[in-house]
Amino acid sequence: MNQPPLFGSVDDVAERLAGVGYLASTAVATTVFLADRLGKPLLVEGPAGVGKTELAKAVADATGSGLVRLQCYEGIDEARALYEWNHAKQLLRITAGQGRESWDETRDDVFSEEFLLPRPLLTAIRRTDPTVLLVDEVDKADVEVEGLLLEVLSDYQVTVPEMGTVTAVRRPFAVLTSNSTRELSEALKRRCLFLHLDFPDPDLERRIVLSRVPELPEALVDALVRTVRVLRGLDLRKSPSVAETIDWGRTLLALGMDTLDADAVRATLGVVLKHRSDAERAVRELRLDADTPGATRSVP
């Protein structure tokens, strides 16, 4: 399937993603470029909150493509991922045609475009405009859905038995994300290019926060990033994501805080830690108890 590429070079990927607020490393930009040029799905693995979903959204924004998202969950089936029929409307149509037409005529009508409910995979295959297909948290789906994805993403076509085979006129840029809660099949991995995303290094996270919350003083951003890295080093149920670091910065700005001392951390810790046990551990490890001597000092 010949089609114009979305990006001209690796530098073009990095520049255009940065233009929509996604600061990509060289490894990320290179993998996105290769997925585009080779026409392969991109499998992005890593812990929650490192920007996997945001990468797909950024590619769509940077290229002016439509975004079609399939959110996976336990128990999702082919009907929710691919297509299903509007049974209520079909029943009304059958009832209306009773006594006036043959069953063959009715059957041909009820299994037509008017009664088809396309779901994300079929929607992405049928689009003629540039499209980014995001299959989010694929590790939450059953292996049967993996098999369906393998079939769809291999040939970029879908067979509707009652209507025939639908083949993509324009191949979507496919991004699959996984939080690594279970091992994906080797067959699916072989079909994709692989990218592992981890939490950014301090310099990159600092630049990300400054790009999203430019009003924050740089010294406060430095303290914020240092504190978040300390929190990620603790044995927490859920480590703070990059998005939560940004939210913390916006919170401090909204409250008019210009220092990240222990009082500020205690007052706003719920922005980045969403489990009571995590908050209690952070208070202990950072020595933020109100009755601790020196508790109003700046945190690390």
Side-chain angles (χ1 to χ4, degrees), residues 115-217:
F115 300 89
L116 185 67
L117 298 175
R119 298 309 182 193
L121 294 181
L122 180 57
T123 298
I125 291 296
R126 298 173 81 185
R127 281 178 57 89
T128 57
D129 296 327
T131 302
V132 173
L133 170 61
L134 169 60
V135 183
D136 216 2
E137 299 184 303
V138 66
D139 52 321
K140 290 185 177 180
D142 298 331
V143 292
E144 290 79 6
V145 174
E146 277 192 49
L148 173 64
L149 287 172
L150 188 62
E151 179 182 356
V152 171
L153 297 178
S154 293
D155 300 320
Y156 291 98
Q157 65 181 28
V158 170
T159 298
V160 181
E162 298 85 355
M163 297 176 62
T165 299
V166 179
T167 303
V169 176
R170 184 183 185 103
R171 182 184 59 247
F173 184 98
V175 179
L176 290 70
T177 74
S178 168
N179 294 333
S180 303
T181 57
R182 71 171 178 84
E183 190 71 21
L184 300 178
S185 69
E186 291 299 324
L188 183 62
K189 287 186 174 182
R190 282 196 303 269
R191 183 68 187 85
C192 303
L193 294 185
F194 178 78
L195 175 65
H196 179 80
L197 283 185
D198 210 336
F199 292 111
D201 60 50
D203 179 64
L204 179 55
E205 187 158 20
R206 178 180 177 277
R207 290 192 289 123
I208 291 172
V209 175
L210 283 172
S211 70
R212 297 297 184 92
V213 198
E215 304 90 346
L216 274 182

Side-chain angles (χ1 to χ4, degrees), residues 234-252:
L234 304 178
D235 185 19
L236 303 179
R237 289 180 61 185
K238 180 189 177 301
S239 295
S241 68
V242 177
E244 286 164 335
T245 306
I246 295 170
D247 287 343
W248 205 2
R250 289 171 175 160
T251 298
L252 299 176

